Amino acid sequence: MRTALRPGDAGKIIALHGLVYADEHGFDHTFEAYIAEPLAHFITRNSPRERIWIADRRGDVAGSIALVDEGRGAGQLRWFILDRDARGKGLGATLLENLIAFAAEQRYERIMLWTLDILPAALRLYTGRGFVPKEERASRLWGRDLTEMRFELELA
């Protein structure tokens, strides 16, 4: 696991999202733009209060998670993904724990995230770490009808 981006990492994170979500959930190509634009802003800001973790497998990106400063004391969890071969080994839990610890260290009051009801493993991971559902909304996104869910974790 590393926190420094290398040349090519952003493209790999975008591609990983595009390929995984197309293959597993039928998302169209517009999902990659949804990932790419805020990721580019995150990279160019280079804020010390924000961080990305890369699950590195022999120099390749096997997954990622990031914390982005949303203002008003909130950090947003973004770009949480693992390729198929990296799942089921506790790596997702480790990435999430690192993010929560960093958010506390940076004195965020809470962490929020948006996810989808079609991701049961992610939902279990979030609720198992104390995230609480706060909002749901039906949406037409990335070529599908989906239910978006917003979760929050209050930090002490």
Side-chain angles (χ1 to χ4, degrees):
M1 193 164 332
R2 57 186 165 84
T3 59
L5 286 168
R6 297 178 184 160
D9 282 348
K12 290 175 182 178
I13 291 167
I14 295 163
L16 183 59
H17 277 80
L19 294 169
V20 166
Y21 280 88
D23 183 48
E24 296 179 11
H25 304 291
F27 286 18
D28 67 21
H29 67 284
T30 63
F31 185 60
E32 289 183 52
Y34 169 78
I35 300 301
E37 184 176 7
L39 181 58
H41 291 295
F42 166 83
I43 292 167
T44 58
R45 270 193 313 274
N46 194 30
S47 169
R49 285 185 41 82
E50 300 179 322
R51 182 169 291 169
I52 192 164
W53 291 260
I54 305 294
D56 187 304
R57 182 179 48 233
R58 296 177 298 281
D60 202 8
V61 174
S64 66
I65 194 170
L67 184 71
V68 177
D69 190 347
E70 286 298 305
R72 300 172 316 280
Q76 183 177 2
L77 186 157
R78 303 286 314 253
W79 312 303
F80 191 11
I81 192 161
L82 291 171
D83 70 22
R84 277 197 181 118
D85 294 338
R87 296 179 199 163
K89 300 174 174 130
L91 183 56
T94 299
L95 287 167
L96 184 56
E97 291 298 330
N98 285 336
L99 181 140
I100 293 169
F102 176 76
E105 174 187 307
Q106 293 298 313
R107 302 191 193 286
Y108 284 97
E109 297 169 16
R110 68 192 166 285
I111 302 168
M112 60 83 61
L113 65 93
W114 283 96
T115 190
L116 301 166
D117 68 341
I118 60 172
L119 304 172
L123 295 172
R124 284 191 303 275
L125 193 56
Y126 299 138
T127 57
R129 296 301 184 281
F131 284 83
V132 177
K134 296 288 187 175
E135 179 182 352
E136 284 189 21
R137 63 183 179 205
S139 301
R140 177 78 181 164
L141 297 166
W142 314 304
R144 292 213 34 202
D145 292 322
L146 297 165
T147 300
E148 296 179 276
M149 302 175 74
R150 185 174 62 82
F151 283 77
E152 288 187 7
L153 174 66
E154 295 292 329
L155 299 174

